[in-house]
Amino acid sequence: MPVLVQYSATRFGKDMKILTLALYNDLTRKKEKFIPIEEGKVRFYSCGPTVYDYFHVGNARPFIVFDVLRRWLEHEGYKVTFVQNFTDIDDKMIHRAHQEHITVAELAEKFIAEYNKDADALGIRRPDVSPRATEHIPEIINTIERIIANGHAYVSEGDVYFDIQSWPKYGSLCKQNLEDLEAGARVEPGEKKKDPLDFALWKAEKPGEPSWESPWGKGRPGWHIECSAMSSKYLGDNIDIHSGGVDLMFPHHENEAAQSEAATNNGKPFVNYWLHNGFLLIDSEKMSKSLGNFLTARAAIEKYPPLALRFFMLSAHYRSPINFTPEGLEQAAAGVSRLRNCKSDLDFAAKTRTGDSDFDINKFHDELKELDKKFSDAMNDDFNTAAAMGILFDVVSLINTSLKNHDKLPEEFFTASKNALNTYDEILGVIGPDEAECENDNESAEIEALIQERTQARKAKNFARSDEIRDTLKARGIILEDTPQGTKWKKEL
Ligand code: AMP
Ligand code: ZN
């Protein structure tokens, strides 16, 4: 009987889901009960990459952790609409396109494809909508027009600026007052603003830069306005969750909130829950392109299994800083192997050791159920994946101990154990598919046939042939393990 599925009927009862999930909200700096705007639905916007290059392991952190939050919300029964944008026009895009002697659009096309390749490899599910700034110029212009009409932005020689002095709430997300923020602000050459803190909603055309027609002359959007315009297009003016790295809190998210709320001017908040992940550090410094201390996700995947990268990110609480070290990644890879071994041991034992037994299946169900509750509690406690991963290992220990202590086990044990692992894997994505699932049937059958031939060769003491088969399979990344019940195989990570 599929145990976890059985619990879900009660655990995901209507009242339960609203009562249990708490998220740390950067707007209030408190952990708060999560109450969606619309019952059973979550409107979720996450700031996506600027597509001028491959993304690095630091950027991968928000992509992975918020993908897992989205999966958890869905698992809890919410219908989630998850939007993550591509920033495909800004100074960095223009500069890089010039360097490469290609257009900004060609650069974006290339790195959106590369983003998707790496994100897919990392098991990050595609968003429901992945809007691009340059495909939303009319929406962006409309948002700016509304902000101007409401008296919170002004036109200055073809640029449009947000008028900070007209917006008393400015600084309420980053919790800084205007005076302190003013002290850190400066006017860049060529900017024509009233106040150093005012920021550009629209930038007048410069020679050699892409531009679009607008009521203020030809130009291009500023960075922050795209997220305001696209989030309201796909999710409405008031959304549940908005996420990104902690560096986006100021100025990007502060500005987004000011713009969106100034455009609607109805006193309603743009976002109910602001979530920010902590930095991924390398040698105690933020991994970043500008510091040059980065490793691209592409290079990391070549060096370490993608599942290990996910495991590494989820082993820490999303708000804590984490240090990226080779040892950390190796430990994560060892953790993934332990999880995968449990799954393949289960599969193998299910084929060879199902049968009558004195195993106490009811006690096992109770223990699994207890761990499942702990897992839920961890995930509902500000989405504590670090604690949840610990519980997953408790589940693995429980399964391993049962396998070790009993020669035969009932079918129900195998079904419940596999269901438990699969359910946790659907949420965390750190175990990965079985060999049998990831290979086509022909390949599996071929491997099984070679293993049988090797068994025969060993019986006939033809060790040259049996070693040859082992080596051939090893070269294909297939590892054999001989056990009293027969030969098991698995794919190397
Ligand atoms: P960008 O493409 O620079 O806008 O960054 C994409 C996402 O990565 C944003 O949510 C950033 O806040 C986040 N980010 C950038 N560097 C790091 C880092 N070292 N650790 C964690 N998140 C980061
Ligand atoms: Zn954004």
Side-chain angles (χ1 to χ4, degrees):
M1 186 183 303
V3 173
L4 273 140
V5 174
Q6 196 186 30
Y7 311 148
S8 50
T10 47
R11 186 151 65 76
F12 308 152
K14 251 188 179 177
D15 305 333
M16 289 289 287
K17 68 183 175 193
I18 295 176
L19 288 174
T20 47
L21 176 62
L23 293 172
Y24 184 87
N25 188 353
D26 273 314
L27 194 59
T28 55
R29 300 287 201 270
K30 273 195 214 120
K31 221 189 268 183
E32 290 175 12
K33 196 189 284 181
F34 177 67
I35 303 171
I37 298 161
E38 203 178 328
E39 205 194 321
K41 295 196 176 157
V42 181
R43 305 171 196 169
F44 192 162
Y45 187 95
S46 205
C47 290
T50 308
V51 283
Y52 69 108
D53 208 339
Y54 296 94
F55 67 91
H56 61 64
V57 181
N59 303 133
R61 189 174 188 193
F63 305 147
I64 291 173
V65 296
F66 295 118
D67 169 54
V68 173
L69 176 56
R70 171 194 186 191
R71 292 172 185 226
W72 176 244
L73 291 164
E74 286 180 357
H75 179 79
E76 287 291 84
Y78 289 105
K79 159 104 188 61
V80 182
T81 309
F82 186 77
V83 179
Q84 183 180 290
N85 65 304
F86 286 118
T87 298
D88 62 350
I89 177 77
D90 80 339
D91 291 344
K92 284 181 282 189
M93 296 283 308
I94 293 169
H95 181 70
R96 184 73 191 261
H98 277 171
Q99 275 182 336
E100 305 265 315
H101 305 293
I102 55 176
T103 64
V104 170
E106 284 164 346
L107 181 74
E109 212 53 55
K110 170 171 166 100
F111 283 111
I112 287 173
E114 302 294 10
Y115 170 88
N116 282 331
K117 237 189 248 171
D118 292 340
D120 288 351
L122 285 168
I124 298 163
R125 280 178 33 201
R126 300 261 177 122
D128 296 302
V129 193
S130 305
R132 306 179 186 191
T134 60
E135 290 176 359
H136 293 79
I137 301 294
E139 289 84 350
I140 289 172
I141 290 175
N142 176 276
T143 311
I144 299 174
E145 282 180 316
R146 287 187 293 139
I147 302 172
I148 297 174
N150 290 334
H152 298 295
Y154 58 93
V155 185
S156 178
E157 297 176 36
D159 290 343
V160 183
Y161 293 99
F162 190 90
D163 184 355
I164 290 293
Q165 294 301 336
S166 78
W167 196 251
K169 264 182 86 180
Y170 196 74
S172 56
L173 175 61
C174 67
K175 306 282 177 271
Q176 294 204 53
N177 62 37
L178 272 190
E179 264 171 35
D180 292 343
L181 290 172
E182 293 281 6
R186 36 187 213 118
V187 181
E188 298 291 335
E191 289 182 323
K192 307 126 208 152
K193 36 192 189 180
K194 294 197 287 196
D195 185 299
L197 265 188
D198 292 349
F199 58 90
L201 304 177
W202 187 261
K203 299 181 175 191
E205 180 183 32
K206 291 198 192 114
E209 291 189 0
S211 63
W212 290 263
E213 295 290 349
S214 86
W216 320 287
K218 284 184 112 184
R220 64 179 168 98
W223 169 32
H224 319 292
I225 195 72
E226 67 177 87
C227 289
S228 286
M230 298 194 289
S231 105
S232 96
K233 171 162 185 186
Y234 295 103
L235 298 168
D237 290 334
N238 177 214
I239 69 173
D240 292 298
I241 301 176
H242 192 121
S243 62
V246 68
D247 54 336
L248 296 190
M249 179 136 53
F250 186 83
H252 185 54
H253 289 166
E254 190 73 51
N255 292 356
E256 276 186 43
Q259 295 164 160
S260 295
E261 292 174 18
T264 54
N265 225 21
N266 59 10
K268 285 205 183 137
F270 164 45
V271 169
N272 288 359
Y273 300 85
W274 284 98
L275 269 52
H276 294 100
N277 65 273
F279 284 140
L280 179 128
L281 309 170
I282 189 156
D283 297 329
S284 306
E285 266 191 305
K286 179 193 172 196
M287 182 181 280
S288 79
K289 286 260 162 64
S290 52
L291 291 172
N293 60 354
F294 66 92
L295 178 71
T296 60
R298 176 73 52 93
I301 293 168
E302 277 162 16
K303 221 167 160 186
Y304 306 101
L307 290 171
L309 271 160
R310 285 184 75 89
F311 187 108
F312 175 77
M313 302 285 182
L314 298 173
S315 300
H317 189 276
Y318 76 96
R319 285 192 290 110
S320 314
I322 42 171
N323 247 315
F324 185 81
T325 59
E327 298 76 40
L329 262 291
E330 275 147 28
Q331 275 173 20
V336 171
S337 291
R338 181 142 188 256
L339 297 171
R340 290 181 63 77
N341 283 344
C342 175
K343 190 167 170 178
S344 64
D345 287 352
L346 256 181
D347 284 344
F348 187 67
K351 283 185 213 146
T352 53
R353 291 164 55 194
T354 303
D356 287 343
S357 147
D358 58 355
F359 182 72
D360 187 345
I361 190 70
N362 290 330
K363 181 161 168 265
F364 180 71
H365 280 319
D366 288 345
E367 284 169 331
L368 266 190
K369 194 171 172 178
E370 183 61 27
L371 289 170
D372 190 42
K373 180 170 181 319
K374 286 189 181 163
F375 183 91
S376 274
D377 289 348
M379 292 297 276
N380 281 332
D381 180 14
D382 191 26
F383 171 46
N384 189 346
T385 55
M389 295 270 283
I391 313 295
L392 174 55
F393 275 94
D394 291 343
V395 173
V396 164
S397 297
L398 176 66
I399 296 171
N400 283 344
T401 309
S402 309
L403 285 172
K404 193 166 147 239
N405 292 345
H406 296 84
D407 272 352
K408 296 274 179 198
L409 286 150
E411 203 178 330
E412 222 179 313
F413 162 81
F414 292 108
T415 316
S417 301
K418 282 189 206 172
N419 270 321
L421 292 184
N422 287 342
T423 304
Y424 295 129
D425 198 33
E426 268 166 31
I427 299 159
L428 301 168
V430 288
I431 307 178
D434 290 338
E435 285 76 26
E437 284 171 34
C438 61
E439 299 306 333
N440 61 43
D441 286 349
N442 287 345
E443 190 177 0
S444 291
E446 187 202 339
I447 293 166
E448 299 282 351
L450 279 169
I451 289 174
Q452 266 191 15
E453 189 191 335
R454 177 172 168 272
T455 308
Q456 295 307 326
R458 271 155 55 105
K459 273 193 192 143
K461 303 220 174 333
N462 183 354
F463 296 116
R465 178 62 187 146
S466 79
D467 287 351
E468 188 185 17
I469 293 173
R470 177 188 281 272
D471 293 345
T472 310
L473 288 172
K474 182 153 193 334
R476 284 169 56 178
I478 312 282
I479 307 294
L480 304 186
E481 190 191 333
D482 295 315
T483 77
Q485 285 79 29
T487 303
K488 295 196 312 197
W489 64 274
K490 66 178 179 201
K491 276 213 140 186
E492 262 177 334
L493 270 181

